[in-house]
Amino acid sequence: MKKILLGIVVAATLTYLLKPFRFNLLDLVFLLYSLLVFSLQGKRRTASTALFVALPHDLFGTRAMLPFVVGLGSALSTGIATRQKRLKEFLKNYVVFAITVLLVEQFTNSLWKPLTMCLVPFILSSTMDWTKSKEFFREDVLFVASLFGLHTMDKQLNAVLSFLVYALLFLIHNVSINYKVRMKELERFESNYSAFRKKLAAVVQLASSSSQTSSVLESLKKFAEMMSDITSFQYVLISVLNRSLGIVQRVAHYGISEQEFNRLKENPPPIDHVLRLTQERFRISNSYFIPEGTIDLPSQYVATFLNAALDDEPDAWRPDDILIVPIYNPSREMVGYISVDAPRSGKRPRLEDVQILELIADQVYKLLERSELYRDVVIRRSYDSHTLLLTHSAFLGAVEAEVAKADRFALVIMDVDDLSRINQEFGHEVGDLLLEKIADILRTRTRKTDIAARFGGEEFALLLRNVTKSKAIEIVDRLLQEIRRMEAEFHTKVSASAGIAMFPEHGRNSQELVKSATQALQIAKVSGKDRLMVL
């Protein structure tokens, strides 16, 4: 802010000395030309860019207005994100060319005027932003020399031809700069790719060699450190979903203080917390980026490592931005995730960055599944071997995924009536056969979009997608009728009771929906069985 105030003071002083108050139509034309030149050059503008505007204006426009035209054109050009940056851009160019114009006015020699007009802005601009200017210094020197030669000859050329030559030189300059930038980007890509392959090979080697309980935590910490090194995120946190406890377990980190990591471990969020982060609208590749301000999260479950954005560009990483990279098992069920923060680039993630993280997440799973400490947490059987329906945990995973989509659906808990009596009278083999037959009904008499699961010993569960309450009741009632028809086959009364919960009316997460459906089932049982209930 002090630099801006100083710039304003200097600009005001120079304006008083110049008195540029005669703005005519030609100056307006050059202002539009200035805007075009700076916009075409974009972020690749160099110390000589402004000369392609200033030199033609010096010949045909009002010289005292030249600093204003160059400064305003650069400030209003595309590619500048904030007002503060636009003000800085205006002040820089205005001051540089105001000083140049005042110096030019001191000379009468026809050679010194164009030399001053070319060299002074180039030297001042290069000095003010040397870190950026040095990359293209050689190209700039070549074009400044060309511009000087052209500027000394302008008196012999007509206005249109002179202007066209300046435009042609600018296009050649732009092509030259773009070519050099692309070559450097290619070199950088090849270098980064080679380094990445070596680092990824090290990650794969670590995943293959670390599987013992005693070393798994140490290996996970090394993974976190490698992820930070490869992706340049300063903070990495690895977590697993402990579905038996219904919580998110923090298991390893890098860049986070032990005090902060222990705070996160002592306040494990419920698994539903992750569902809010893994909504379809946040998806990038197979991961999820949640921009700052999109959702509110309890402070005890998250850590904020930044006080301000790393940059003031629109794509800058913000303090409360979140990137979640899921850890999937071979059945594509989410069993954990990796969260990262504060990229050294200062930018929000690109698709390539996310895909690299996903490759590493696959290796993290391989380590987890081989470790004695986390094997039972991350390895989940998807299907019940007896009924060939989804297991309890896999079904809950499907419900969580459906909650994230935010579409209407029904969750049904169904219980076979008097199964213990059937087992006592006819034997457990008959009871098992009955369960298999009911599983067949649920699998074949529901829609392709619906999901059936073995929820417990004699309990089943259904997820009915995109249904109203009346449609859900109709589907479940038809299934209960199919079950009743099995009396003839088993020579005894066969029936089932069901409880229905609707999303989002009866709950906004899997736990609330299961609780509501179970309560409705209990009411159906108490009311006489062989019926369905909705709270």
Side-chain angles (χ1 to χ4, degrees), residues 259-328:
Q259 180 180 1
E260 181 65 10
F261 180 65
N262 289 332
R263 183 187 72 82
L264 293 172
K265 285 181 67 175
E266 292 167 2
N267 295 280
I271 289 179
D272 292 337
H273 166 80
V274 183
L275 299 182
R276 299 187 62 194
L277 304 176
T278 55
Q279 299 178 40
E280 193 64 28
R281 59 183 173 138
F282 299 137
R283 181 184 289 274
I284 298 180
S285 184
N286 291 317
S287 301
Y288 302 90
F289 174 69
I290 302 91
E292 180 180 74
T294 308
I295 56 177
D296 293 324
L297 296 172
S299 59
Q300 67 268 30
Y301 299 153
V302 296
T304 301
F305 301 107
L306 302 174
N307 295 321
L310 293 171
D311 200 347
D312 54 4
E313 297 290 340
D315 62 345
W317 183 274
R318 308 288 170 181
D320 292 326
D321 284 348
I322 300 173
L323 178 59
I324 295 293
V325 183
I327 301 171
Y328 292 110

Side-chain angles (χ1 to χ4, degrees), residues 421-431 490-493:
R421 175 185 59 80
I422 294 173
N423 285 331
Q424 289 175 359
E425 290 184 15
F426 302 96
H428 285 277
E429 291 181 358
V430 173
F490 285 89
H491 306 291
T492 187
K493 182 179 179 181

Side-chain angles (χ1 to χ4, degrees), residues 197-211:
R197 287 184 62 182
K198 292 179 181 178
K199 291 175 180 177
L200 188 58
V203 171
V204 174
Q205 177 63 30
L206 179 61
S208 301
S209 61
S210 303
S211 60

Side-chain angles (χ1 to χ4, degrees), residues 513-532:
L513 290 168
V514 169
K515 182 179 179 181
S516 179
T518 302
Q519 288 176 344
L521 172 63
Q522 291 171 348
I523 294 173
K525 287 283 191 182
V526 172
S527 301
K529 306 178 183 178
D530 192 17
R531 66 195 64 198
L532 64 88

Side-chain angles (χ1 to χ4, degrees), residues 314-535:
D315 62 345
W317 183 274
R318 308 288 170 181
D320 292 326
D321 284 348
I322 300 173
L323 178 59
I324 295 293
V325 183
I327 301 171
Y328 292 110
N329 67 10
S331 301
R332 303 308 295 167
E333 295 175 276
M334 183 175 170
V335 296
Y337 65 89
I338 301 164
S339 51
V340 293
D341 200 354
R344 293 182 180 88
S345 67
K347 305 298 182 184
R348 285 174 167 175
R350 301 170 302 170
L351 178 62
E352 308 93 274
D353 302 325
V354 173
Q355 290 173 336
I356 289 172
L357 284 165
E358 289 170 351
L359 287 173
I360 300 174
D362 290 340
Q363 301 304 317
V364 173
Y365 174 77
K366 292 179 181 179
L367 173 61
L368 291 171
E369 73 170 343
R370 283 195 293 269
S371 72
E372 295 178 11
L373 191 58
Y374 295 110
R375 184 184 299 124
D376 293 338
V377 175
V378 300
I379 297 179
R380 299 167 57 203
R381 290 187 305 161
S382 297
Y383 292 92
D384 173 58
S385 58
H386 186 202
T387 62
L388 300 182
L389 299 180
L390 280 185
T391 61
H392 181 283
S393 58
F395 178 78
L396 289 181
V399 174
E400 290 164 2
E402 201 66 24
V403 168
K405 295 179 183 178
D407 296 330
R408 285 179 59 84
F409 68 90
L411 187 150
V412 183
I413 304 294
M414 188 178 294
D415 183 83
V416 181
D417 295 329
D418 301 319
L419 182 62
S420 57
R421 175 185 59 80
I422 294 173
N423 285 331
Q424 289 175 359
E425 290 184 15
F426 302 96
H428 285 277
E429 291 181 358
V430 173
D432 290 343
L433 179 61
L434 175 61
L435 292 175
E436 291 174 9
K437 294 286 186 179
I438 293 176
D440 288 339
I441 291 174
L442 298 183
R443 184 169 46 250
T444 59
R445 298 293 192 272
T446 51
R447 304 169 303 170
K448 291 182 179 179
T449 56
D450 299 333
I451 296 176
R454 175 83 178 273
F455 207 64
E458 55 197 58
E459 283 187 340
F460 297 89
L462 293 170
L463 192 159
L464 308 177
R465 290 190 171 101
N466 298 312
V467 292
T468 60
K469 183 187 293 185
S470 59
K471 182 64 176 178
I473 291 173
E474 177 188 331
I475 293 172
V476 175
D477 186 56
R478 186 175 67 248
L479 293 172
L480 294 182
Q481 290 180 28
E482 290 279 350
I483 293 171
R484 291 187 197 107
R485 294 192 183 102
M486 294 169 61
E487 288 186 12
E489 181 179 354
F490 285 89
H491 306 291
T492 187
K493 182 179 179 181
V494 177
S495 65
S497 302
I500 302 175
M502 301 298 301
F503 174 84
E505 294 94 318
H506 297 122
R508 294 187 173 273
N509 56 58
S510 58
Q511 282 88 348
E512 291 177 359
L513 290 168
V514 169
K515 182 179 179 181
S516 179
T518 302
Q519 288 176 344
L521 172 63
Q522 291 171 348
I523 294 173
K525 287 283 191 182
V526 172
S527 301
K529 306 178 183 178
D530 192 17
R531 66 195 64 198
L532 64 88
M533 291 294 296
V534 185
L535 292 181

